[in-house]
Amino acid sequence: MDPNQNEPQFNAKAEFDKNMERAKKEMKKNMRYGILGVVVILAIIFLSNSFYIVREDEVATVRQLGEITRIVVDETNIEAQLQNDLDPRFKDVIIDNQKGLKFKIPFITTVEKNTSKLLTYFSNTANINTQDKIKYDINMYAQWRITHPGIFRTSLGTVTRANSKIDEITYAVVIDRINRLNSLDFLANKDALYDILESARQELNVNLANQGIMLIDIDVYRTILPPSNIASTYEKMVQERAAIAQQIRSEGLEFYQNTVADTDRNVAEINAGAIQETETIKGLADSEALEIYASGFSKDPEFYEFWRTLRSYERVIDADTVIYLDRNNSYLEYFSGGQ
């Protein structure tokens, strides 16, 4: 056999072995890249599960192996600690008032988040019967927030269940207090209505503390008068306003009469004072005049006698006067020498 016939077979085998070697190297290289990629992905997953973020409009419940260990709430939230102390299950729970980026143990620590914004509950139509026996149909609303997310998650779990709980306990407390008002105060006296609603809110918050929520505000947003009560209510309101108008008129008349009496008294006092002052001035003037006359007449008594006699003639004698006197009477001395 010709030895040259085996050379192509030898070359083919060598080439095959070379290609296999190259393939093995490429496979090893790809495996290294694959393993590196898997490691990177696992590292990313690990790191992403090592941190969590609580935004400013959120509260969070942190669990380790299913047990609540920490809650994250607003910085100004003081109710969380009070509610925490009410439940012995949460005595070791940490209350964290700082939000933002947080660390956790991957696959062991889980985080549940809820909104920290105000939530609104709207009631169904409720019937009230005021103290003066007037019936109204009202609708209420309440604004509330989650103050302890751990207790909230444990006792209620969802906003829908929280609204149901608020509806369950709010109706009786609020309606009972509104029923103590008369209809006029309920409709027109906002301060009286606010006071009883605030009292109801405080009582309800005591009952809701073990639910991890707190009522911020309660109010009546719609009031409807049943048709059967419209006529009687209108008449009652007319009578009440007529009574108020009569009271205002009576107070006005009393004020007018008191003002007139005060004015008349002031006028009389002013007149009396003026008269007294006038008489005083006249008395002083007469006294001063007499002093002047006395001073003047004392210097010439005969002239003073003459002046007095003439003044008496002026006062006593007129055209119809007839006087019968003795001719020697001194009163006629100045008439023709007494003749």
Side-chain angles (χ1 to χ4, degrees), residues 129-134 178-183:
N129 191 10
T130 58
Q131 194 175 42
D132 50 349
K133 307 306 179 185
I134 303 298
I178 293 180
N179 285 344
R180 301 176 191 176
L181 292 175
N182 61 50
S183 57

Side-chain angles (χ1 to χ4, degrees), residues 64-76:
Q64 287 189 2
L65 299 176
E67 294 293 328
I68 297 176
T69 58
R70 177 187 297 265
I71 61 171
V72 183
V73 296
D74 295 336
E75 187 175 359
T76 58

Side-chain angles (χ1 to χ4, degrees), residues 48-92:
S48 65
N49 280 276
S50 298
F51 298 94
Y52 64 96
I53 297 175
V54 181
R55 301 198 308 265
E56 286 300 320
D57 61 347
E58 293 178 332
V59 290
T61 303
V62 181
R63 298 176 184 265
Q64 287 189 2
L65 299 176
E67 294 293 328
I68 297 176
T69 58
R70 177 187 297 265
I71 61 171
V72 183
V73 296
D74 295 336
E75 187 175 359
T76 58
N77 186 341
I78 60 174
E79 291 78 15
Q81 184 63 57
L82 299 176
Q83 295 172 347
N84 202 69
D85 295 339
L86 294 175
D87 195 329
R89 295 176 300 170
F90 294 88
K91 63 179 181 179
D92 296 325

Side-chain angles (χ1 to χ4, degrees), residues 177-236:
R177 279 169 167 73
I178 293 180
N179 285 344
R180 301 176 191 176
L181 292 175
N182 61 50
S183 57
L184 186 60
D185 284 337
F186 171 67
L187 294 175
N189 191 339
K190 296 302 181 183
D191 291 336
L193 181 60
Y194 172 80
D195 288 342
I196 65 168
L197 290 177
E198 178 61 19
S199 173
R201 186 187 71 84
Q202 294 177 6
E203 179 179 336
L204 290 168
N205 278 336
V206 173
N207 297 330
L208 289 171
N210 59 359
Q211 307 295 321
I213 64 177
M214 184 178 71
L215 295 176
I216 305 301
D217 185 29
I218 300 177
D219 205 350
V220 175
Y221 72 91
R222 185 168 63 180
T223 302
I224 303 173
L225 186 67
S228 58
N229 290 348
I230 291 179
S232 60
T233 302
Y234 177 77
E235 181 63 27
K236 183 177 179 60

Side-chain angles (χ1 to χ4, degrees), residues 5 16 69 77 102 115 123 155 157 168 180 194 197 245 258 264 276 279 296 329:
Q5 290 180 353
F16 175 77
T69 58
N77 186 341
K102 304 286 183 180
T115 180
S123 75
S155 59
E168 175 186 335
R180 301 176 191 176
Y194 172 80
L197 290 177
N258 291 337
D264 291 342
Q276 180 179 2
E279 292 299 326
N329 192 303

Side-chain angles (χ1 to χ4, degrees), residues 93-159:
V93 172
I94 299 172
I95 299 177
D96 186 352
N97 294 104
Q98 300 297 322
K99 296 183 179 181
L101 184 64
K102 304 286 183 180
F103 174 77
K104 67 175 183 174
I105 302 174
F107 311 112
I108 295 178
T109 303
T110 58
V111 179
E112 301 164 333
K113 299 179 183 178
N114 294 98
T115 180
S116 64
K117 296 178 181 177
L118 288 179
L119 300 168
T120 303
Y121 148 80
F122 291 98
S123 75
N124 295 321
T125 300
N127 181 263
I128 65 168
N129 191 10
T130 58
Q131 194 175 42
D132 50 349
K133 307 306 179 185
I134 303 298
K135 293 183 178 180
Y136 296 95
D137 293 332
I138 67 170
N139 290 91
M140 299 176 295
Y141 77 88
Q143 289 188 306
W144 60 279
R145 66 159 46 104
I146 300 170
T147 49
H148 195 300
I151 297 177
F152 172 78
R153 283 276 179 175
T154 303
S155 59
L156 297 172
T158 65
V159 172

Side-chain angles (χ1 to χ4, degrees), residues 236-248:
K236 183 177 179 60
M237 293 175 67
V238 169
Q239 293 175 359
E240 289 174 346
R241 279 154 180 76
I244 294 173
Q246 182 59 43
Q247 180 182 356
I248 293 174

